[in-house]
C-alpha cells in the first residue's frame, strides 16, 4: 500500500485485465476501483461530481463499502472475461495482452503531451484504458464560483497548480507544519496561449505579501460561508488557513495578477514521490554537493536520476542552493518540472504500457481538482488542449519580487514594480515569453505596422467614445481628458456599447489611419487594439472613428500598450533546456 493507504499500481497484472469493449471494439483495462482521499485543506464542499448511475451516492472522497473492498458491481463481467465474445473464445485467449494499434500511440502522445498540468498533481495519459477505475481515484472540490466555469477551446487557458504542505498519509510525518491545516506551499499559474503555440508558468513566491479577498466557500452541508479576507499577509495563507479552500487561492491569484483561473489542481507531498517513481525517475543536475539536513537531500554534484523520497527532498531543499531562500528553491523546482516534462514526453514513457499505467494510477490518486473537471473525460479534453504546445515554447518565470522594505529581518517579499505588472500584462494579453511559430510573428508584425506612418494633428481626430465594460463613467472621464488635456476636441461620448468587450478597441476606416495612429499614441494603444474597419457618423453627421473602452481600461491617461519583451531582470527558463542547480 502507498502512503495514503491505496492499492499500488504495480500490484496489478495488466495481462489479466484486458477486456473487449463492445461499444468501441477496442481492448481496455478493467481494474477494481480504489478509494480516494482529499489532500486539500479546508472544508469539503458539495462540488464533487454527480455519481448517478454508479449507485447514486454523492461524491465525498470515499467509495461505497462494496467498492472499497474491491468487489466488482453485480453487472460487471469478470476481469478475465472479455465482454462481447463467447466464454470459450475468451478462455482461449486468457492471459494474452492484445496487440495495440499504431493509432493508440498517437492518442497517448496527444493525451500526455501537455502533462505539465499534472506534474505536481497527476497525469491522465492512460485514462482511456480504464475509465471507471481512474474516475474513482479522483477527488474534487467546488471552485465556489471563483473560476470561469471551465476552459474553452477558443480562448487561452489558465490553470492554478498548488502543492500544499499539509501532512497527509503515512510516511509524511516529517514534512510541513506539524499542527497546521496546510498552506499554498508551491503555487504555479499555467497559461496556455489561445492558439496553443506556447505556454507560460508563473511561480508565485509563498512569502509574497499580498491581499486575500473575502472568499465565499461551500460547506459540507451545502451551505455557503464567507471567509473574511486579510490585508497584507503572506500569499501562502490563501489556502488551508482559517478553512480557506483552493477557490480562495484562485480569487487571490485573480486579485494579484488580473488573470481569471479556469481550473485548479492541488497535491500533497505524495504526488512528487509517486509520480517520479511511476516514470522511472527524473534527471536533475547539481553544480555543487548538497547535504541538507532539513529536506534530507544528500547528493554530490553532477547528474542524477531521482525518484520517491529523494525527489521530494530535491524539490523541498532551499538552504543549500542559491541564497538559501524560497526564491532559490523555486529555481530548483522549475528545473525539476522541466525535466519531468521531458521525461513524460519521451519515448521511454510513451511506449511503456507499464509506466503509463503507473502514471495514470499515481496521477489520479494524487490529484484533487475543481468540480468542473472531476472526470477522466473532462481531464482528457483538457489534456488534449495542453498537449498542443511544444516544450521549447514552455517558459517558467518567477514573479519579480524584492525584500519587504518594512522588515528589518528579511522574511517576506513584495512585488517588484513595474516589472511585475509588465509580466502580468504580457500573460494577460497572451504574449509569448519565447519565440513562437512564424504565423504568430506575422500577426505581430501586422499589428506593429498599424502604428507606423503619419499622424494627424490631435485637433483633426474625430472619435466617438463608448463604454464597453469599463467602470461606469469611464467614457465621460476619457472625453474630458482628451478634450482638455490632449486637444482632441472633436470627440464625443456615445454612451454604452451594445456588447461588452474584454479589451479596448479603436475601429477606423482606411482613410482615417492617420487619425487612428494619433489617438493610439495619445492613449497608449497597441497595434492589437487597432481594428481597421469602417467609420460611423457622429452626432454632427460627420464620419468618425469608434473607441470602445473594454474591461481592461484602467482610467484616462493610463497606457494600454502591452509589453512585447520580458523585463531583463525577470528570472525565467524554458522546459527544453538542462541547467545545473547552483
Amino acid at each position: 500500500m502507498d502512503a495514503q493507504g491505496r492499492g499500488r499500481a504495480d500490484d496489478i497484472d495488466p495481462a489479466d485485465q484486458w477486456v473487449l469493449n463492445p461499444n468501441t471494439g477496442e481492448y481496455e483495462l478493467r481494474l477494481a476501483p480504489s478509494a480516494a482521499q482529499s489532500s486539500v485543506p479546508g472544508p469539503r464542499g458539495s462540488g464533487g461530481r454527480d455519481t448517478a448511475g454508479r449507485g447514486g451516492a454523492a461524491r465525498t472522497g470515499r467509495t461505497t463499502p462494496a467498492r472499497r473492498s474491491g468487489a466488482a458491481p453485480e453487472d460487471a463481467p469478470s476481469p478475465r472475461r472479455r465482454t462481447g465474445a463467447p466464454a470459450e473464445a475468451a478462455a482461449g485467449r486468457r492471459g494474452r495482452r492484445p496487440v495495440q494499434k499504431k493509432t493508440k500511440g498517437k492518442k497517448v502522445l496527444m493525451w500526455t503531451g501537455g502533462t505539465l498540468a499534472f506534474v505536481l498533481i497527476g497525469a491522465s495519459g492512460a485514462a482511456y484504458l480504464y475509465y471507471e477505475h481512474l474516475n474513482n481515484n479522483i477527488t474534487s472540490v467546488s471552485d465556489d464560483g471563483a473560476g470561469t466555469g471551465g476552459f474553452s477551446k477558443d480562448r487561452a487557458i489558465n490553470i492554478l497548480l498548488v502543492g500544499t504542505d499539509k501532512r497527509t498519509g503515512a510516511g509524511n510525518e516529517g514534512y510541513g507544519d506539524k499542527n497546521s491545516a496546510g498552506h499554498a506551499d508551491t503555487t504555479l499559474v499555467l497559461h496556455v496561449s489561445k492558439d496553443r503555440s506556447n505556454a507560460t508558468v508563473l511561480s508565485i513566491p509563498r512569502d509574497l505579501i499580498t491581499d486575500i479577498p473575502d472568499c465565499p466557500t461551500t460547506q459540507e452541508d451545502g451551505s455557503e460561508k464567507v471567509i473574511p479576507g486579510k490585508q497584507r499577509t503572506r500569499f501562502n495563507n490563501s489556502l488551508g488557513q482559517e478553512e480557506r479552500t483552493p477557490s480562495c487561492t484562485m480569487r487571490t491569484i485573480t486579485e494579484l495578477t488580473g488573470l481569471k483561473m479556469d481550473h485548479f489542481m492541488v497535491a500533497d507531498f505524495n504526488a512528487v514521490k509517486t509520480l517520479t517513481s511511476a516514470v522511472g525517475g527524473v534527471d536533475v543536475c547539481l553544480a555543487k554537493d548538497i547535504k541538507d539536513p532539513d529536506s534530507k537531500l544528500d547528493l554530490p554534484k553532477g547528474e542524477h536520476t531521482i525518484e520517491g523520497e529523494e525527489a521530494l527532498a530535491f524539490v523541498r531543499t532551499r538552504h543549500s542552493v542559491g541564497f538559501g531562500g524560497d526564491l532559490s528553491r523555486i529555481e530548483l523546482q522549475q528545473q525539476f518540472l522541466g525535466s519531468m516534462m521531458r521525461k513524460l514526453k519521451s519515448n521511454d514513457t510513451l511506449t511503456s504500457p507499464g509506466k503509463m499505467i503507473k502514471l495514470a494510477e499515481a496521477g489520479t490518486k494524487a490529484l484533487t481538482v475543481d468540480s468542473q473537471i472531476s472526470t477522466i473525460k473532462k481531464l482528457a479534453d483538457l489534456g488534449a488542449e495542453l498537449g498542443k504546445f511544444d516544450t521549447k515554447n514552455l517558459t517558467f518565470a518567477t514573479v519579480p519580487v524584492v525584500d519587504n522594505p518594512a522588515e528589518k529581518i528579511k522574511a517576506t517579499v513584495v512585488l517588484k514594480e513595474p516589472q511585475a505588472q509588465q509580466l502580468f500584462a504580457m500573460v494577460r494579453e497572451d504574449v509569448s515569453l519565447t519565440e513562437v511559430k512564424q504565423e504568430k510573428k506575422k500577426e505581430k508584425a501586422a499589428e506593429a505596422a498599424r502604428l507606423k506612418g503619419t499622424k494627424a494633428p490631435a485637433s483633426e481626430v474625430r472619435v466617438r467614445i463608448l463604454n464597453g465594460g469599463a467602470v461606469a463613467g469611464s467614457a465621460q472621464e476619457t472625453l474630458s481628458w482628451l478634450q482638455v488635456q490632449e486637444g482632441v476636441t472633436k470627440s464625443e461620448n456615445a454612451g454604452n456599447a451594445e456588447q461588452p468587450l474584454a479589451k479596448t478597441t479603436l475601429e477606423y476606416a482606411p482613410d482615417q489611419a492617420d487619425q487612428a495612429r494619433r489617438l493610439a499614441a495619445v492613449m497608449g494603444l497597441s497595434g492589437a487594439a487597432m481594428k481597421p474597419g469602417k467609420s460611423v457618423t457622429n452626432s454632427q453627421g460627420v464620419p468618425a472613428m469608434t473607441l470602445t473602452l473594454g474591461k481592461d481600461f484602467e482610467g484616462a491617461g493610463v497606457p494600454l500598450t502591452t509589453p512585447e519583451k520580458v523585463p531583463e531582470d525577470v528570472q525565467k527558463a524554458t522546459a527544453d533546456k538542462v541547467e545545473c542547480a547552483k
Side-chain angles (χ1 to χ4, degrees):
M1 300 295 286
D2 66 14
Q4 294 196 27
R6 301 186 178 102
R8 293 174 52 189
D10 54 2
D11 290 334
I12 300 164
D13 181 4
D16 284 343
Q17 306 296 335
W18 291 95
V19 295
L20 180 68
N21 186 331
N23 295 320
T24 64
E26 300 287 349
Y27 285 100
E28 301 173 352
L29 280 180
R30 176 163 299 173
L31 304 179
S34 59
Q37 299 179 16
S38 173
S39 61
V40 181
R44 287 297 302 266
S46 59
R49 69 180 183 279
D50 183 4
T51 56
R54 283 189 241 150
R59 176 73 170 174
T60 62
R62 297 192 179 108
T63 57
T64 60
R67 295 213 168 187
R68 190 162 53 245
S69 66
E74 290 183 2
D75 59 348
S78 166
R80 298 177 66 90
R81 286 281 303 277
R82 294 180 175 84
T83 59
E88 294 81 7
R93 286 181 282 175
R94 187 172 298 164
R96 290 171 56 198
R97 183 175 308 194
V99 177
Q100 292 292 296
K101 298 179 181 179
K102 290 184 179 180
T103 54
K104 290 273 185 163
K106 293 180 180 178
K107 251 184 186 177
V108 173
L109 179 60
M110 182 174 69
W111 288 39
T112 59
T115 45
L116 169 69
F118 308 114
V119 167
L120 286 181
I121 27 60
S124 62
Y128 68 99
L129 297 178
Y130 47 119
Y131 182 91
E132 286 298 321
H133 175 71
L134 295 185
N135 262 346
N136 286 326
N137 285 345
I138 300 173
T139 302
S140 65
V141 179
S142 174
D143 70 356
D144 299 313
T148 63
F151 76 95
S152 174
K153 294 183 178 181
D154 60 355
R155 57 179 171 81
I157 298 174
N158 296 312
I159 302 176
L160 171 65
L161 311 174
V162 182
T164 174
D165 58 3
K166 180 182 179 181
R167 294 185 179 184
T168 304
N172 292 320
E173 294 83 0
Y175 308 127
D177 297 330
K178 184 175 182 180
N179 298 314
S180 173
H183 303 77
D185 190 54
T186 298
T187 303
L188 308 171
V189 174
L190 168 64
H191 171 86
V192 183
S193 66
K194 179 180 178 179
D195 66 0
R196 308 296 188 254
S197 68
N198 65 90
T200 299
V201 177
L202 293 180
S203 293
I204 313 294
R206 65 179 187 176
D207 295 324
L208 173 65
I209 296 299
T210 189
D211 295 336
I212 299 175
D214 291 346
C215 299
T217 306
T218 304
Q219 304 299 295
E220 290 187 4
D221 61 1
S223 64
E224 184 180 276
K225 172 184 177 182
V226 177
I227 301 175
K230 195 168 185 179
Q231 305 296 307
R232 310 302 297 164
T233 186
R234 277 182 167 90
F235 174 85
N236 68 352
N237 289 324
S238 66
L239 180 67
Q241 305 305 297
E242 299 178 43
E243 298 186 323
R244 294 188 180 96
T245 65
S247 66
C248 192
T249 309
M250 290 180 89
R251 297 183 194 277
T252 305
I253 286 289
T254 299
E255 289 282 329
L256 178 68
T257 67
L259 289 164
K260 186 84 168 180
M261 296 294 102
D262 294 301
H263 301 289
F264 66 72
M265 300 179 179
V266 184
D268 61 10
F269 294 122
N270 284 316
V272 175
K273 294 190 289 186
T274 56
L275 286 170
T276 53
S277 296
V279 297
V282 173
D283 299 328
V284 297
C285 181
L286 297 177
K288 63 179 181 180
D289 298 345
I290 292 184
K291 190 169 185 177
D292 184 354
D294 292 324
S295 71
K296 301 179 178 63
L297 180 66
D298 187 358
L299 286 175
K301 68 178 181 180
E303 297 181 356
H304 304 274
T305 300
I306 58 176
E307 63 177 278
E309 292 285 350
E310 194 169 48
L312 178 59
F314 183 87
V315 298
R316 292 187 66 247
T317 190
R318 55 174 173 158
H319 300 302
S320 301
V321 292
F323 295 103
D326 188 49
L327 297 181
S328 298
R329 185 183 71 152
I330 286 176
E331 292 186 37
L332 200 72
Q333 290 174 343
Q334 290 174 347
Q335 179 206 139
F336 177 86
L337 291 173
S339 180
M340 184 74 163
M341 273 295 297
R342 294 191 297 273
K343 188 63 176 284
L344 286 168
K345 298 187 76 169
S346 70
N347 288 333
D348 288 345
T349 300
L350 296 175
T351 60
S352 171
K355 285 184 180 180
M356 293 303 296
I357 290 170
K358 289 182 179 180
L359 186 59
E361 286 288 331
T364 51
K365 288 176 182 177
L367 184 64
T368 296
V369 301
D370 65 90
S371 54
Q372 303 291 339
I373 48 171
S374 59
T375 68
I376 289 300
K377 174 63 168 63
K378 293 177 180 178
L379 283 172
D381 289 342
L382 175 60
E385 294 301 303
L386 301 182
K388 294 178 180 179
F389 62 83
D390 194 301
T391 312
K392 68 181 180 181
N393 289 328
L394 168 61
T395 306
F396 296 97
T398 303
V399 171
V401 294
V402 294
D403 289 333
N404 189 349
E407 296 175 335
K408 291 184 178 180
I409 299 177
K410 304 304 180 185
T412 62
V413 294
V414 295
L415 291 179
K416 183 177 183 179
E417 303 294 11
Q419 289 87 339
Q421 297 308 321
Q422 292 172 349
L423 181 59
F424 295 154
M426 290 184 72
V427 178
R428 286 196 306 268
E429 297 301 315
D430 217 15
V431 177
S432 175
L433 304 193
T434 60
E435 292 294 330
V436 292
K437 58 187 180 181
Q438 193 65 31
E439 290 80 359
K440 192 82 171 180
K441 293 181 181 179
K442 290 180 179 179
E443 179 183 340
K444 292 297 181 183
E447 292 173 356
R450 296 170 194 162
L451 297 171
K452 296 178 181 179
T454 59
K455 300 180 181 66
S459 60
E460 294 182 7
V461 174
R462 289 186 173 86
V463 59
R464 298 168 66 251
I465 305 169
L466 296 173
N467 190 328
V471 175
S474 294
Q476 185 60 41
E477 176 193 1
T478 302
L479 175 66
S480 300
W481 176 75
L482 286 175
Q483 291 185 338
V484 175
Q485 298 189 38
E486 300 299 328
V488 184
T489 55
K490 297 176 180 178
S491 51
E492 63 180 41
N493 183 349
N496 294 325
E498 293 182 2
Q499 298 291 335
L501 297 179
K503 300 177 182 180
T504 297
T505 63
L506 174 62
E507 184 176 4
Y508 57 95
D511 61 351
Q512 297 172 319
D514 58 342
Q515 295 183 45
R517 286 189 286 267
R518 172 59 66 190
L519 189 60
V522 168
M523 297 206 52
L525 299 178
S526 67
M530 300 174 68
K531 305 296 182 184
K534 59 182 180 180
S535 63
V536 294
T537 303
N538 65 13
S539 60
Q540 304 299 317
V542 179
M545 301 182 296
T546 301
L547 174 67
T548 305
L549 306 178
K551 295 179 181 179
D552 62 338
F553 183 76
E554 296 181 359
V558 180
L560 290 170
T561 304
T562 302
E564 294 294 328
K565 294 183 179 181
V566 182
E568 292 184 359
D569 52 356
V570 172
Q571 182 275 322
K572 68 184 185 74
T574 53
D576 63 327
K577 296 180 180 178
V578 180
E579 297 183 7
C580 294
K582 301 178 181 179

